[in-house]
Amino acid sequence: MVAYNVENPAKAKNKVRQYFNLEVTTSALCDLNCTYCFEGEKVDKARLDDELPTIIKRIDSILADEKWFQQKYEGLNISLWGGEPTLNPQFIIDLMNVYKDHNNVDFHLYTNAFNLHNMKKIVNNVDTSKLNIQVSYDGRAVNDSYRLMKNKKPSSNQVINNMYELANMGLKVSMKATLPIDSMDNLYQCWKDYHDIQQLLWKVSKDLQINYAPTIDYATKFSLDEKKEAIKVFRNEFLKIAKEEIAFYNEHGRFLCSWFGGEDNRKHCSAGLNM
């Protein structure tokens, strides 16, 4: 399954050439049981394996396009999605190795970081210098209520431990959070958890920098009164974060929460841009 991010021509004028982003679904299966998930397990991963030759053919045609791709873009970033993409590790290994000698092709893996065995299998069989990993983690206060294992138990401890292992393996790791509307009262606690995780990762390397970049879960439906109440809670929680962010910035020269720092810090994500 392939999706293209098409750039708005009106905004493309006088723009520095950049990487084109191609999204590939490796598996629709998932090893967690997130209560706010709107996808579910709909596709058997074996059916996606059969699509690999078609995907490679499509990628080759993009790279060879002289009139469009080569004129507008420096290279290609292939984003690996699911479900949980690491549940189909051989698919990722095979795809990455096809383009291991292409200097203008990079990969971005979105993962819940729950299955360290599969992640290690991928890492040990690909060029990790071409791989960026984004871990979906909401902050413990939300994660332990919404991102549950199949047995309904919290997944936070295993995910944080696995993320620390990935960092120790020298991998480039970032993080992305979801914030359900009815969990606004956990916003500050989630920020604090991200702050603690940043301190943990700095024990591995000072170059490992994460951001708390929560996306408001707009897939759920609430009444207008519920939304108004959530905004009130959000204001109080946000003011607590703001005080901490000032101290964090004064010490480290950057913000931890991606909502701070101006337009440049928000435009990396469509949800952030829509803030």
Side-chain angles (χ1 to χ4, degrees):
M1 190 178 299
V2 181
Y4 298 97
N5 285 352
V6 180
E7 189 177 1
N8 184 341
K11 296 182 179 180
K13 296 179 181 178
N14 302 320
K15 198 171 186 179
V16 177
R17 289 203 300 172
Q18 56 188 345
Y19 269 55
F20 180 74
N21 191 59
L22 177 69
E23 298 179 355
V24 178
T25 298
T26 71
S27 172
L29 299 177
C30 188
D31 46 7
L32 290 184
N33 189 33
C34 303
T35 58
Y36 56 38
C37 180
F38 59 87
E39 291 190 27
E41 300 176 11
K42 300 186 290 290
V43 183
D44 182 80
K45 67 178 182 180
R47 291 173 54 189
L48 295 168
D49 291 342
D50 294 337
E51 295 181 12
L52 183 57
T54 302
I55 292 172
I56 292 172
K57 183 178 179 181
R58 188 71 59 84
I59 292 172
D60 288 343
S61 69
I62 291 174
L63 294 172
D65 192 307
E66 298 179 356
K67 294 183 179 179
W68 165 68
F69 176 78
Q70 294 180 16
Q71 290 294 320
K72 288 188 63 177
Y73 298 97
E74 293 290 343
L76 180 67
N77 180 74
I78 300 175
S79 295
L80 303 168
W81 285 88
E84 170 50 39
T86 61
L87 291 182
N88 200 357
Q90 195 59 50
F91 182 101
I92 295 172
I93 293 168
D94 292 342
L95 179 60
M96 287 192 65
N97 284 334
V98 169
Y99 300 99
K100 62 183 179 180
D101 296 324
H102 287 65
N103 294 329
N104 64 336
V105 177
D106 291 327
F107 292 84
H108 193 100
L109 175 65
Y110 297 88
T111 177
N112 58 32
F114 185 72
N115 191 321
L116 188 60
H117 173 78
N118 280 10
M119 182 62 73
K120 286 183 175 179
K121 181 178 179 180
I122 295 168
V123 168
N124 291 333
N125 290 281
V126 301
D127 178 2
T128 57
S129 69
K130 300 173 71 67
L131 179 64
N132 291 280
I133 298 172
Q134 179 173 293
V135 176
S136 297
Y137 178 78
D138 302 332
R140 188 181 296 274
V142 172
N143 222 72
D144 283 350
S145 296
Y146 289 87
R147 286 186 175 271
L148 304 176
M149 293 188 277
K150 294 295 186 181
N151 61 8
K152 308 296 185 182
K153 292 184 178 180
S155 63
S156 294
N157 286 341
Q158 184 165 332
V159 170
I160 293 172
N161 290 336
N162 289 350
M163 190 159 44
Y164 184 70
E165 287 289 327
L166 294 175
N168 271 302
M169 294 164 66
L171 297 170
K172 292 169 282 188
V173 180
S174 62
M175 298 173 68
K176 188 70 180 70
T178 297
L179 180 66
I181 291 176
D182 56 356
S183 293
M184 287 295 180
D185 56 341
N186 291 316
L187 180 58
Y188 176 68
Q189 288 302 319
C190 290
W191 183 94
K192 289 286 289 183
D193 190 31
Y194 262 71
H195 180 274
D196 293 343
I197 293 172
Q198 175 65 94
Q199 304 298 322
L200 177 67
L201 294 178
W202 273 338
K203 292 180 179 179
V204 179
S205 171
K206 284 294 184 180
D207 293 330
L208 283 173
Q209 297 191 1
I210 61 170
N211 287 100
Y212 179 47
T215 297
I216 306 297
D217 184 13
Y218 45 78
T220 53
K221 295 182 179 180
F222 291 88
S223 68
L224 181 59
D225 287 341
E226 288 173 320
K227 290 178 181 177
K228 286 181 178 180
E229 183 59 33
I231 291 174
K232 291 179 182 178
V233 176
F234 172 84
R235 290 179 188 276
N236 292 330
E237 293 288 299
F238 192 73
L239 286 174
K240 289 189 235 178
I241 291 175
K243 293 178 181 179
E244 300 273 6
E245 281 286 346
I246 293 171
F248 188 89
Y249 182 87
N250 287 337
E251 183 176 356
H252 303 293
R254 73 174 182 91
F255 293 103
L256 179 64
C257 180
S258 65
W259 294 347
F260 293 82
E263 189 65 29
D264 285 343
N265 273 4
R266 294 197 298 269
K267 68 184 181 183
H268 71 283
C269 169
S270 61
L273 178 62
N274 291 336
M275 286 293 294

